[in-house]
Every structure is written in structure tokens, then in C-alpha cells.
Amino acid sequence: VEYNAYNNIRHRYLLSREFHLRTVLVTNIPRHLRAPSKITTYFKNVYPDAVKSVTICQNLIHLESLIAKRTRILGVIEKELLVLCREEKRNLVMNLDTLTRAKYNVRTLSKRLAIFCGCYEAPQERLAWLYGKLEEVNESISGEQARRKKIMSIMDKLDTSQGGHDIDFTLASKATFTENSDDARPKPLHAKGAIKRYSKELKARNFLGRLRNQTDKKEKTGFIENHINEVTDKAFVIMRTFTASTIAIQSMHSSKPGSMQVATAPEPRDVLWSNVYVSKGARKTRTLIADLVCLFIISFYIIPVTIISLLVSENALVSYSPRIAQLDKASALFSSAIALVQPLCLVGVQQLLPPLFIFIGKSEGILSFSEVQMKAFSRYFMFQVLNIFLVTSIAGSIF
């Protein structure tokens, strides 16, 4: 019965035809394709008439900080308006009651003296200042939005200094496909030449993937690679059908292994938008550090547990005060309560691990909260196996 109910709910969810069910997440986009027109043209050429929209994730850290600042100012304005309305309402009501008005005057005497001396601004003056700040922030937000739009249009017109001969860039370039009357499917031009040039480029690189004569090259300007700090290496592609999204997930989208990976996009409410800015290299470094931290916590977890066990054991608590020892001998209920202190403290320390693992997963740069929970669950399971099963059960049975 429960399986049938879950099956019906799952079918209704899939038949809802929500757009996020047909959305794929593209990560590790090559540097020479991090432009809206390039990545859009690539997917529209690979999947003709199957792509609805392509949205590349931009660097909106400054814009998000401005919006957060405007939200804080609006909150302060609402609070000031509420206080002003309350004061005006009190003035209207207290005109009928002399005693209540006298109490109110005594209570607000210090505030009125501060306003008179200039140490404290009146509500009207504070509201005028806040509205001025709000207008300044709105102008900054409008300017940043216009700058972002201009930068995206400029990046669409820029060429690439690296990867211009790769298959990826060939698919992302306009007017590289010809229509054939016999075959309606688009065919890329010079595909064999692109493969040969790519193999030559691999030979010209060392084992770290860097050019051997990189020191002799001067930095070029006016290319997409010089503006990759304005965009991220991630994009969301909305397909028109479930079939197209499934094919996109199962296909290889780059001539370089490990580049431009496509996976099912999480729901918008599940995305950790702050981790969108984490690059592939930073994600690897953070994952390594997170694994080392979790391994350290799991390995040396027995040390704080032992210290807490010694400090809050029944004998230790009784020895702290003669009064506690007297109550322990006089009351069986109090003795039972003291005996429960140590297990409760150990359980409390153990309950701190899941939130800690979730925080480590978020700091690691994982994109979705559900994936963070799954990783925290796997780490907590490893902790249970190592500390509860191996240390407690086996060591307790031996000794």
C-alpha cells in the first residue's frame, strides 16, 4: 500500500511537466566557451529544436551585496515608520487622559532632551536620511545591472585566444554548419582538422596541462579568457522535452576528458547559490581539506568523549560536593538522575556531528542541499562504523 501511494505521488510529480524536471546543470565549462552566445550556440547546434533557453551563471557578488544592503535599509525604514505611527497614535489617544500623558512625558523625557541637544535625530529626519540612502543604493543597483548587461554583450562579441581550434569551439561558433538537402542534420566543417590540431596541442603541453613555451607568451587582451571573472563555469539549460534532457545527461560534451559535465539540475529551492561561484579547482581543494577534517574528527573523536566521560561520571559528580554525595545516598531518584548525566552528555556531543558535517559539506562547495545531506549521512555512517561498532563493541567485548 505504501509503495503504491509513493508510486502515484512520484508519477504525479513527473507528469506535472515542471520546467526544472527538464533542466540540466552544466559545470566545468571551458574558458573559451564562457560567454552567453557561445554556450547557447553550442547546445542549440548539438540539440537542434530541443533547447528552450540557456542561462550562464554570472558573477553577481557585488550586485547581491547591494540588494542585501537595500533590504536592510527597507527593514529599518519599516521599523521607523512603525515607531512613528505608534507615537502619533499615542498622542491622539492620550489627549483624553491627562495622567497617561504625564506618564508618557516622564518616560520620554530623556529622548526629547537628546533630540533637543542634537544627540539624537527626530524620526522625520531619520526617515529622510534613510530614504536618501535607499535612493543611492537603487541608483547603484541600476548601474550595476546596466554594467552586467553591457559586459555580457561585449563578451558575446569577443573571440577566444585558446581553444579556438577545438571541437567545442567549432560547435559553439556561428555559421559553422551547412544545410544539406539530402541530410537535414547539421554537419560540422573541418572536424578532422580540429582533432589533429587538438592532438598537436596535447603534445605541446606538459604533464600538468600547461604550455611548454608559456613563459615566452605575452598576455593577450580583448579575449574571453581575460574576462572569466565576470562569469562562472556553470550554466542551466532548459530543454523542451524529457528525452532531450536525458540524452544531454548521458552524452559527452567535450573533447577534453573531465570538461563540461552535464547532470540533472536540482530544484531552485535546493540550490546553494553561494556555491555557484566555487570553481573546479577550488572545489577539489575544499573537498580534500573537508575529507581530512572529517577523518581527523572521526579518528580523534574518542579523546573528547573520554574527557567528558571522566568529568561527568557518577563518581566524579559525587566527589565534587559533599551535598551531592549526601543526596545520592539519601535518594534513589537523585542517584538515578546523576547516573543519567554521563549518557546524556555523550548523546549531546554525538548530536553535534550531523550539523557539523552539513556545515563542512556546504563549505566544500557542493551545489545542492540534498547532496550535502547525502554526503553528511555517508560521513556520519562512517563515524558510526568506526567509533560505535569497532571501538565500542569490539573493544568492549575484548576488554
Side-chain angles (χ1 to χ4, degrees), residues 17 21-24 47 49-51 239-251 253:
R17 302 186 66 84
L21 298 175
R22 296 175 280 107
T23 305
V24 296
Y47 306 100
D49 300 329
V51 179
M239 298 293 184
R240 297 184 183 276
T241 60
F242 292 102
T243 305
S245 61
T246 304
I247 294 174
I249 294 170
Q250 298 176 355
S251 302
H253 291 82

Side-chain angles (χ1 to χ4, degrees), residues 249-399:
I249 294 170
Q250 298 176 355
S251 302
M252 183 176 180
H253 291 82
S254 177
S255 57
K256 297 180 180 179
S259 179
M260 202 152 72
Q261 301 174 355
V262 180
T264 304
E267 295 186 17
R269 61 181 180 179
D270 193 31
V271 178
L272 299 175
W273 296 105
S274 58
N275 291 339
V276 173
Y277 305 112
V278 180
S279 61
K280 180 181 178 181
R283 171 76 182 274
K284 289 183 178 179
T285 305
R286 293 187 181 191
T287 302
L288 179 60
I289 295 175
D291 291 339
L292 292 176
V293 170
C294 292
L295 184 61
F296 178 82
I297 293 174
I298 293 173
S299 302
F300 297 95
Y301 173 79
I302 194 65
I303 296 176
V305 168
T306 305
I307 295 174
I308 293 175
S309 300
L310 293 175
L311 293 177
V312 298
S313 62
E314 186 177 0
N315 296 330
L317 293 176
V318 169
S319 63
Y320 288 155
S321 174
R323 180 61 178 171
I324 297 177
Q326 183 179 0
L327 292 173
D328 180 58
K329 294 179 180 179
S331 174
L333 181 62
F334 189 80
S335 178
S336 302
I338 291 179
L340 290 175
V341 172
Q342 184 183 23
L344 291 176
C345 291
L346 295 179
V347 171
V349 173
Q350 190 173 349
Q351 292 300 316
L352 295 176
L353 290 178
L356 180 60
F357 288 151
I358 290 177
F359 174 76
I360 292 174
K362 290 181 178 179
S363 303
E364 188 177 340
I366 300 175
L367 283 175
S368 62
F369 184 71
S370 58
E371 190 177 353
V372 170
Q373 287 183 321
M374 289 299 297
K375 198 149 193 178
F377 178 78
S378 63
R379 287 169 175 168
Y380 192 71
F381 178 76
M382 184 173 63
F383 159 78
Q384 294 280 0
V385 170
L386 293 178
N387 285 276
I388 305 301
F389 178 70
L390 296 179
V391 176
T392 305
S393 301
I394 298 180
S397 60
I398 294 176
F399 298 103

Side-chain angles (χ1 to χ4, degrees), residues 215-256:
T215 56
D216 300 335
K217 286 190 174 183
K218 297 181 180 180
E219 184 181 0
K220 299 180 180 180
T221 57
F223 296 102
I224 295 177
E225 288 81 3
N226 300 324
H227 302 276
I228 58 174
N229 58 335
E230 300 290 347
V231 294
T232 65
D233 61 342
K234 301 172 183 65
F236 291 92
V237 182
I238 301 179
M239 298 293 184
R240 297 184 183 276
T241 60
F242 292 102
T243 305
S245 61
T246 304
I247 294 174
I249 294 170
Q250 298 176 355
S251 302
M252 183 176 180
H253 291 82
S254 177
S255 57
K256 297 180 180 179

